[in-house]
Amino acid sequence: MRREPREYRTLDKDLSRVTNTERAVLHSARPLLRLGLALIFIAAASYVGTGLFTGQPAIGILAASLAVAAYLALSIGGNDVANALGPAVGAGAIGMTAGLVLVAAMEVMGAVIAGRAVTATLTEGLVGNTLGEGEATARMMLAALLAAGSWISLATWLGAPVSTTHSVVGAIAGAGMATFGLEAVNWPAMGMIAFGWIVSPLVSGLAAAGLMALLRVLVLDREDRVAAARTWMPVVVGLASAMLAGVAELAWHGTGLAANAVLALACGALGWAYTRRRIDRQSRGEAGGRLAMKQLLAVPLIAAALVMGFAHGANDTSNVAAPLTIILDSLSAGGDDALRGRLVLLLGGLGIALGILLFGRRLVHMVGSRITRLNASRALCVSLATAATVLGASLLGLPLSTTHVAVGGVFGVGFYREWRDRRLAASQPPLPAEERRRRHLVRRSYMRMILGAWLITVPAAAVLAAALVWIGGF
């Protein structure tokens, strides 16, 4: 075999070193590129927004509010994408990049189509009846936006999936009390929202555990899993498609029951037919025991993640839209109210979507794999329970914490698995205490960290917002 001249081999090594160096430089430059794109979006939102709402004196406050609102939306997207995408990525049903793009698109749709009800609750129910017009209210809301965004960014950097809803509501309450006193907050409305925070993770956890038990009976414990999945998984996707279409139509047009039912049934039938065909194609030529459940449940998992993305956009966009709407109202910004509301929701949805794409990878791993081990079937139950809970609350105008709901579903599945293992082990000799601790399927350390983050979020955001009011001169 002819050997290459020594100078050619040396050149190849040098080129290889140059290529590795270029890759290292590109890898290290990615955080700066993401930060640069985020800054461009913030500047563009402020510039375009002030151009749309000209003709009023406090243009500086408006520009700053739009910039901080865009920053908050980016922070929410980076933190909360784990709620929608964590289970599917943790189960390996979809790749990270493709999942981020699809969920980001659904976030924008959910914000624009179904974000009005929850925004109205936060705008009119929490503070709308107690605050007046003028620059004082606008400055107070600007402090609340900045405090909430700062707290969420800190939590994202620390890898803690805190509630963005808690952050925003706590910041509004803290800034309001620092500016106008205790009467600035509608405490009965605050109590109703807090009650929803307590109940929603329990509902989601119970729903996820119930779905897990049902899935075991219908599919996982069957002798022929492929045949069982061929029967029931198209039903799951069909129901998810029908739910999404029905909610979107009801929120967007508010049409009658008949038209809404026809659209939901049509989308459900399409989802059923597509999933049935996909499973038939996957199982053709495969023995029933050889086809992995991850393949059979991939389409239902992706459908559930998309529905969850829509639900999150419908519910959590209000965390940006409500404070910004109050600022615009207090400054008497001109223009059509309906169009202004749509533009505010669009800004929030686009900011959340961009935050998902730029900063969402880290917490996806936290929710998707570190709390409890998620395979395809468990992740499906978590996603469906979370999506149903959040969509129902969005229709009622109740601002839930989607982080609460999603992590509650993950806990529900994990504790159900522990309960089932204990039942199966009841007939066996008891295990030593150390071995029982090892068999815990929900990681207690992460559970304590997340619960601690939830408990301190509202007071921390409130104190930070109050400090900005007192010290920063807002």
Side-chain angles (χ1 to χ4, degrees):
M1 180 176 177
R2 182 184 174 187
R3 297 184 63 184
E4 294 181 350
R6 182 177 179 180
E7 57 269 22
Y8 289 162
R9 295 198 302 271
T10 303
L11 179 60
D12 288 341
K13 290 180 181 179
D14 291 340
L15 289 175
S16 177
R17 292 191 187 100
V18 171
T19 301
N20 291 335
T21 302
E22 288 177 346
R23 290 176 179 171
V25 170
L26 288 174
H27 182 75
S28 62
R30 285 176 184 173
L32 293 177
L33 177 61
R34 289 195 292 265
L35 180 60
L37 291 174
L39 292 175
I40 290 173
F41 174 77
I42 291 172
S46 179
Y47 178 77
V48 174
T50 52
L52 291 174
F53 304 115
T54 56
Q56 52 92 23
I59 196 68
I61 296 177
L62 179 58
S65 300
L66 288 165
V68 175
Y71 162 64
L72 176 59
L74 291 168
S75 302
I76 291 174
N79 193 284
D80 275 11
V81 65
N83 305 335
L85 199 55
V89 171
I94 190 172
M96 178 71 77
T97 301
L100 290 172
V101 172
L102 290 174
V103 170
M106 295 302 293
E107 290 274 355
V108 177
M109 292 177 60
V112 176
I113 293 174
R116 286 175 293 178
V118 181
T119 300
T121 298
L122 281 179
T123 304
E124 301 167 8
L126 183 61
V127 293
N129 294 329
T130 56
L131 300 180
E133 295 185 355
E135 290 191 20
T137 297
R139 290 177 183 274
M140 181 270 288
M141 280 295 166
L142 177 57
L145 282 171
L146 186 57
S150 301
W151 175 253
I152 294 166
S153 296
L154 175 63
T156 303
W157 180 70
L158 294 174
V162 300
S163 165
T164 55
T165 303
H166 287 195
S167 304
V168 171
V169 172
I172 291 175
M177 287 186 289
T179 305
F180 298 107
L182 292 176
E183 67 276 7
V185 179
N186 186 347
W187 294 107
M190 185 77 169
M192 180 193 69
I193 294 171
F195 177 75
W197 294 344
I198 296 171
V199 172
S200 58
L202 299 177
V203 171
S204 178
L206 290 173
L211 287 171
M212 188 75 247
L214 187 62
L215 188 62
R216 296 207 68 88
V217 171
L218 296 177
V219 178
L220 300 179
D221 292 339
R222 294 293 183 92
E223 185 175 347
D224 188 349
R225 287 185 173 186
V226 174
R230 186 175 181 272
T231 299
W232 291 106
M233 289 304 102
V235 174
V236 171
V237 177
L239 289 175
S241 303
M243 178 175 62
L244 176 59
V247 170
E249 172 65 17
L250 185 63
W252 183 255
H253 292 114
T255 55
L257 181 62
N260 193 272
V262 168
L263 179 63
L265 288 174
C267 291
L270 289 174
W272 180 90
Y274 173 77
T275 309
R276 183 69 174 265
R277 182 180 177 185
R278 174 75 177 266
I279 292 178
D280 287 344
R281 190 185 309 123
Q282 289 174 335
S283 59
R284 191 177 297 125
E286 295 278 357
R290 291 170 53 194
L291 194 61
M293 286 303 297
K294 185 168 70 174
Q295 294 174 270
L296 295 173
L297 300 181
V299 176
L301 264 174
I302 295 170
L306 295 181
V307 174
M308 183 57 219
F310 183 93
H312 180 266
N315 200 285
D316 274 31
T317 303
S318 63
N319 295 332
V320 177
L324 189 54
T325 299
I326 293 173
I327 291 172
L328 294 173
D329 289 343
S330 65
L331 295 177
S332 301
D336 179 73
D337 289 343
L339 176 60
R340 187 172 66 196
R342 294 287 187 196
L343 291 175
V344 168
L345 290 172
L346 179 61
L347 170 65
L350 289 175
I352 291 174
L354 186 59
I356 286 171
L357 296 174
L358 296 180
F359 309 113
R361 294 174 182 267
R362 186 174 183 179
L363 284 181
V364 169
H365 291 298
M366 162 70 79
V367 174
S369 59
R370 294 185 182 177
I371 297 172
T372 187
R373 190 184 179 105
L374 289 179
N375 60 13
S377 57
R378 299 166 201 152
L380 176 62
C381 297
V382 171
S383 297
L384 288 175
T386 303
T389 304
V390 176
L391 276 178
S394 298
L395 282 177
L396 297 174
L398 182 63
L400 290 187
S401 165
T402 53
T403 304
H404 256 144
V405 178
V407 177
V410 176
F411 283 153
V413 167
F415 284 123
Y416 166 77
R417 293 175 61 213
E418 287 188 4
W419 173 80
R420 185 173 181 273
D421 280 2
R422 290 194 190 99
R423 287 194 59 190
L424 294 176
S427 58
Q428 301 176 2
L431 296 172
E434 182 179 354
E435 182 65 20
R436 287 199 301 271
R437 284 194 296 270
R438 290 177 182 173
R439 292 173 65 87
H440 284 167
L441 299 176
V442 176
R443 297 181 181 179
R444 268 55 174 178
S445 60
Y446 286 104
M447 183 177 71
R448 287 192 293 268
M449 183 194 73
I450 290 171
L451 290 176
W454 286 352
L455 290 175
I456 68 172
T457 291
V458 172
V463 170
L464 182 57
L468 287 175
V469 171
W470 290 328
I471 299 173
F474 283 97

